[in-house]
Every structure is written in C-alpha cells, then in structure tokens.
Amino acid sequence: MNIVFSIHYANNYWIVLLPAIMAVSDVVTGFIQAQINGTKNSSVMRKGLYRKVGELGTIVLVWVTCVAIELSIKYVAAVSTYVCIMEALSILENLKAMGVPIPDFITKKAHDIDTQINHGE
C-alpha cells in the first residue's frame, strides 16, 4: 500500500485528469482489441463504461469529502493512483490481446504491483 501513498501529482487537477485519460485509453484499446479478435459486445462495453464513471465519481467523492472534513489530499491521490494502476493493467491486457508484444518484465512488474496493492503482499 505504500506505493499508492508515495505518488505525488504535479498539480491537484491531475488527480482526476490522469485517471480519466487512462480510462479513455482503456476504452479505446479495449474496443480495438475487440474489433481485432471479433469479440465486440455492446453490453460488456456499456458495463465497462459504467464502471469507469463510477471510478471517476469515487475520486471526486473522496476529494469533496477530504475538502469538507479537512483531510489531506493524499487520500484522494491514493484512490486516483489505485484507479490508474487498474487502468494501466487493463490497457496492458488489451495490448497483449491485440498482439502487441509486451516484455515479460513489464507484465511481471505490473502483476507484482497489483498483488501488492490488492493482497498486501
């Protein structure tokens, strides 16, 4: 979990903007890989979009809560970083499904970070 709290954003607006950019990138790479593999499914895409709206909404809700009760912005940054990591992993999966060669050390490191965050290992 330390990795999530160790991230510092250049500007507070990046806390929302970066996950939004990552979410759009995930949608685009997901759509392209579905086209390539012939697995395009509108209900899956719709659920994914709803999830992304929920993720961004959560970031905004945590931000508003932190401002309202005067908590540090680091909590918002931690939620944002977690969302960015999830999106990055999904983008890597989409690229791999498209046939883009992803070096093993990148997928291993991404998996290690995911495990550390989700399972505290």
Side-chain angles (χ1 to χ4, degrees):
M1 196 64 177
N2 289 336
I3 190 171
V4 174
F5 282 110
S6 68
I7 303 295
H8 299 284
Y9 289 85
N11 184 306
N12 287 344
Y13 295 109
W14 283 107
I15 291 173
V16 174
L17 191 58
L18 184 59
I21 291 168
M22 300 280 289
V24 169
S25 299
D26 184 33
V27 168
V28 170
T29 58
F31 180 79
I32 293 170
Q33 75 85 11
Q35 284 286 102
I36 289 171
N37 296 314
T39 58
K40 194 169 60 168
N41 183 331
S42 61
S43 66
V44 170
M45 290 180 67
R46 190 171 40 255
K47 287 178 186 176
L49 288 173
Y50 293 156
R51 192 193 82 211
K52 289 175 189 335
V53 169
E55 291 169 355
L56 295 175
T58 300
I59 294 168
V60 171
L61 182 62
V62 171
W63 194 330
V64 169
T65 302
C66 286
V67 168
I69 61 176
E70 297 181 341
L71 287 176
S72 171
I73 198 76
K74 73 178 182 179
Y75 297 106
V76 185
V79 173
S80 176
T81 299
Y82 176 71
V83 170
C84 287
I85 290 169
M86 287 189 326
E87 294 296 347
L89 291 170
S90 183
I91 292 166
L92 279 174
E93 290 171 359
N94 290 337
L95 292 172
K96 196 167 191 168
M98 285 194 285
V100 175
I102 307 293
D104 289 339
F105 76 92
I106 291 176
T107 53
K108 182 180 179 342
K109 185 64 175 176
H111 175 72
D112 291 346
I113 291 170
D114 181 55
T115 301
Q116 181 183 18
I117 290 170
N118 288 316
H119 305 292
E121 296 177 7

